[in-house]
Amino acid sequence: MMAIDPVTLAILKGRLEQIADEMDATLFRSAFNPIIAEAHDASHGIYDAQTGDTLVQGKSGLPIFVGVMAFAVKAVIDKATAQGGLNEGDVWIFNDPYVGGTHLSDFRLVKPIFRDGKVFCFLASVGHWHDVGGNVPGNYNPAATECFQEGMLIPPVKLYDKGVYRSDVVDILSANSRLPLSLYGDLNGQINALDLGEKRMKALLDEYGDAVLADSLGELKSRAADMMRAQISGLPEGTVSAEDFLDNDGIKDEPLKIALDLTIENGRMVMDFTRSSPACAGPVNISRATTIAACYVALKHIFGDVPANAGVLEPVDFKIDDDSLLSVKAPKPVGGYTETIMRLIDVVFQAISQLAPKDAMAPAYGTINALSLAGHRADGKRWVMFSFFGGGHGAHAGGDGLNHGNAPISTATIPPLEILESAYPVRFTQWALRPDSGGPGTTRGGLGATYEIELLEQDADVFLFGERGKYAPKGILGGGDAALNRFTYEQADGDHTPPMTSKMIGIHIERGQKLKLETPGGGGYGDPRLRDPEAVARDLALGYITPEAATRDFSVALTADGSIDMTKTADLRRQEAAE
């Protein structure tokens, strides 16, 4: 292995990341589906030729996708090896979540890049397709008890065989979607992204040489591992524990525990999830690959300076029971994986807060509130609106949490209401921050949001897959919990809420009736009584908190005109501290 000078390494790192970024941008510009085109629910990366390990990821795609794609690429390597090997011009496609992670909506394309007859690396693309069959339009089926009720399951198969396009495979995919045109557009966007990535990668190899690129990729991975070991070695040794709960699995209204015992010893981190609940009947199970990828995302949030590649996990060991909630196999349903991995990230944040308070952040809002509306237009054409929604991020030592952010599992953005209203027969009658939804603390959790949606078409069926309806996002280090998630829907006899709080299928609404989502904020950080009264006054003035919450949660005294009495506030806080 040759020595790579730091300047060359930095240049190549930037060039490689640019390749992944260009693949992201190509798909975002060409996809038919707003969840990819607007929300950026997709990702691209460069992967190791032998192991499938993540080498480089784009900055715009979803980190959770990049993490699980290492398992997806390894699945392709294994399948191709069993069938006689890989060929130049091959492209593999599949959505099997048990070997590639996440759920059936996420289709993966994997392409080997050859040099002198040998695989140099893999390029991979993953995107959330609009509809892939199953019982529920949009595929978030909270009542699923097996994966067959969630959509079509495609194992790794060749989409291109030695450069020859297999239209029969595309015919099968299209026949199993309610929206085949959307599927076709997204698929071709991913193909184009990989084609561009191959062109850019080969140009870079021609410019610098295969050996220099190979050594640089190895060096980047090695440096990430060294930096992660240094971060772990800086933490106090010992074991800390954290646990949190999912509301239910959509089938039985009982909580499900996700527990982490995190040990630091001899420069290594052990993440032990064996106290977590066993596999459940409903679709909040996840595969082992998804669990490990979620931990990768959580650690990257905490140790942001460490380069984003497989080296992050080299000094980390995992203990995950087989057939637990966090390691299931087919045909257990996994369609609601987003809710479970957000709870996983929450327990990692809670555990790290006990070891490195200054680096820690409180849990975010913890649910994407996957909402599907489906019906027929006046001309008989089918329409399916699928979208996810935002909430508040957790507070941290450096400041308040972000108001109305996207989920910390990803960089996906919340689809703009203008796009949703133009594409589907709905009107948003409210899209606003939700007062008092952030957890109180020395620094306050970010605010959730209120979304109210009116149906403009004759009728529609509604499906919701959410969480945090019973177990609020927790505060850390003395901070308070955020508000609970709340969903209501209008019927002729008034407003209703789901019997399972956060999950429901088959809600039938008619023109003019409305749905309302009130999403959680993030947890608070530190004792709320230590929050600067001026910051509380600013929150009051902006409408982030109500006067009642200012007194109740932050122990401030208000004057008759609603301003803060600093002298009485100081006396009140001293009295409460003494008590």
Side-chain angles (χ1 to χ4, degrees):
M1 182 173 177
M2 68 180 70
I4 305 294
D5 70 89
V7 174
T8 300
L9 187 64
I11 291 170
L12 290 176
K13 178 177 181 290
R15 292 280 296 274
L16 289 163
E17 289 174 349
Q18 179 64 23
I19 291 172
D21 288 343
E22 279 196 77
M23 288 193 286
D24 283 343
T26 298
L27 178 57
F28 299 156
R29 286 197 300 263
S30 59
F32 287 15
N33 162 19
I35 295 300
I36 296 177
E38 297 294 335
H40 296 177
D41 197 344
S43 193
H44 297 82
I46 304 172
Y47 297 84
D48 187 85
Q50 279 74 47
T51 64
D53 285 350
T54 304
L55 300 175
V56 176
Q57 71 178 59
K59 294 185 287 294
S60 301
L62 273 66
I64 188 67
F65 282 170
V66 176
V68 296
M69 280 301 290
F71 296 90
V73 174
K74 184 61 167 62
V76 168
I77 294 171
D78 293 344
K79 183 78 174 279
T81 301
Q83 293 184 353
L86 292 154
N87 302 295
E88 191 158 7
D90 287 351
V91 177
W92 293 73
I93 185 170
F94 68 108
N95 70 337
D96 186 339
Y98 307 99
V99 296
T102 64
H103 62 171
L104 297 176
S105 297
D106 299 331
F107 263 82
R108 296 159 172 77
L109 274 65
V110 177
K111 184 172 191 173
I113 303 302
F114 279 78
R115 298 287 287 183
D116 298 325
K118 294 182 180 179
V119 178
F120 179 84
C121 67
F122 288 89
L123 302 182
S125 171
V126 57
H128 180 125
W129 289 5
H130 203 151
D131 183 272
V132 296
N135 287 10
V136 170
N139 306 116
Y140 265 81
N141 181 3
T145 56
E146 55 184 5
C147 62
F148 308 110
Q149 298 162 355
E150 298 179 311
M152 56 176 161
L153 191 156
I154 306 298
V157 296
K158 289 184 182 180
L159 177 66
Y160 283 83
D161 187 359
K162 298 180 182 178
V164 179
Y165 181 64
R166 297 187 59 188
S167 59
D168 53 345
V169 173
V170 181
D171 290 343
I172 293 170
L173 298 175
S174 299
N176 282 278
S177 174
R178 296 172 180 85
L179 301 167
L181 182 62
S182 176
L183 179 153
Y184 185 79
D186 294 345
L187 172 61
N188 279 278
Q190 289 182 260
I191 292 169
N192 292 336
L194 290 179
D195 286 346
L196 177 68
E198 180 179 28
K199 179 181 177 182
R200 295 285 190 265
M201 191 72 197
K202 288 185 173 179
L204 187 62
L205 287 163
D206 290 342
E207 183 177 348
Y208 281 88
D210 296 14
V212 172
L213 259 293
D215 289 344
S216 297
L217 289 167
E219 180 66 17
L220 290 170
K221 181 180 175 182
S222 176
R223 290 190 178 198
D226 290 344
M227 291 175 69
M228 193 65 190
R229 274 189 283 269
Q231 294 281 4
I232 292 171
S233 297
L235 299 174
E237 291 202 344
T239 300
V240 294
S241 299
E243 59 184 44
D244 210 331
F245 295 86
L246 296 168
D247 294 342
N248 52 58
D249 67 352
I251 306 300
K252 188 180 293 185
D253 198 10
E254 295 178 357
L256 297 163
K257 180 168 69 175
I258 296 178
L260 169 62
D261 300 311
L262 189 151
T263 299
I264 305 297
E265 187 175 13
N266 297 325
R268 295 194 68 82
M269 176 184 290
V270 179
M271 305 185 84
D272 184 345
F273 292 99
T274 55
R275 291 191 300 109
S276 301
S277 291
C280 61
V284 293
N285 301 292
I286 58 176
S287 68
R288 179 183 176 89
T290 307
T291 296
I292 293 172
C295 292
Y296 164 81
V297 173
L299 293 172
K300 275 294 296 156
H301 271 286
I302 297 162
F303 306 117
D305 292 336
V306 179
N309 61 52
V312 171
L313 294 181
E314 279 197 11
V316 182
D317 301 313
F318 294 91
K319 294 183 179 180
I320 308 165
D321 284 343
D322 288 338
D323 205 33
S324 74
L325 183 72
L326 306 181
S327 183
V328 299
K329 295 178 174 61
K332 286 284 188 180
V334 294
Y337 87 99
T338 49
E339 309 306 292
T340 308
I341 62 175
M342 283 198 277
R343 205 65 67 255
L344 260 174
I345 291 172
D346 290 346
V347 297
V348 175
F349 285 0
Q350 292 170 50
I352 292 292
S353 73
Q354 301 170 55
L355 298 172
K358 291 183 179 179
D359 294 324
M361 62 198 78
Y365 61 104
T367 175
I368 69 166
N369 276 315
L371 181 68
S372 296
L373 287 81
H376 292 84
R377 298 183 187 273
D379 60 6
K381 290 183 179 178
R382 189 66 179 268
W383 65 275
V384 177
M385 170 185 153
F386 170 80
S387 190
F388 48 81
F389 297 88
H393 280 219
H396 48 91
D400 297 339
L402 176 70
N403 292 335
H404 190 219
N406 54 278
I409 60 173
S410 72
T411 52
T413 59
I414 304 153
L417 70 87
E418 295 86 355
I419 296 296
L420 296 175
E421 288 184 339
S422 66
Y424 310 112
V426 298
R427 175 189 296 125
F428 282 81
T429 53
Q430 192 173 2
W431 181 298
L433 295 178
R434 180 186 178 190
D436 294 342
S437 56
T442 307
T443 53
R444 173 186 45 72
L447 300 187
T450 300
Y451 308 91
E452 189 175 66
I453 306 168
E454 178 185 356
L455 178 66
L456 302 181
E457 196 49 85
Q458 182 65 32
D459 57 10
D461 293 318
V462 181
F463 307 84
L464 176 72
F465 202 133
E467 266 295 330
R468 287 298 192 197
K470 296 182 179 180
Y471 296 92
K474 292 183 179 181
I476 60 172
L477 302 170
D481 295 349
L484 290 168
N485 196 29
R486 187 163 54 196
F487 175 71
T488 56
Y489 59 96
E490 191 176 14
Q491 302 276 259
D493 60 348
D495 289 344
H496 296 261
T497 58
M500 290 246 186
T501 308
S502 55
K503 303 174 182 69
M504 194 166 180
I505 64 172
I507 303 168
H508 188 77
I509 61 172
E510 298 180 354
R511 180 180 282 123
Q513 292 180 342
K514 297 176 182 178
L515 315 167
K516 181 184 281 189
L517 273 169
E518 296 171 272
T519 69
Y525 179 104
D527 188 343
R529 290 172 299 186
L530 299 180
R531 184 168 178 78
D532 184 351
E534 294 290 350
V536 179
R538 184 175 64 251
D539 287 346
L540 270 170
L542 292 170
Y544 291 172
I545 62 174
T546 60
E548 295 77 17
T551 301
R552 179 188 67 237
D553 297 334
F554 296 96
S555 302
V556 297
L558 302 179
T559 64
D561 65 0
S563 60
I564 293 179
D565 187 317
M566 296 298 182
T567 302
K568 288 185 178 180
T569 293
D571 291 342
L572 177 61
R573 289 180 169 185
R574 275 194 296 269
Q575 179 183 340
E576 289 184 357
E579 292 173 354

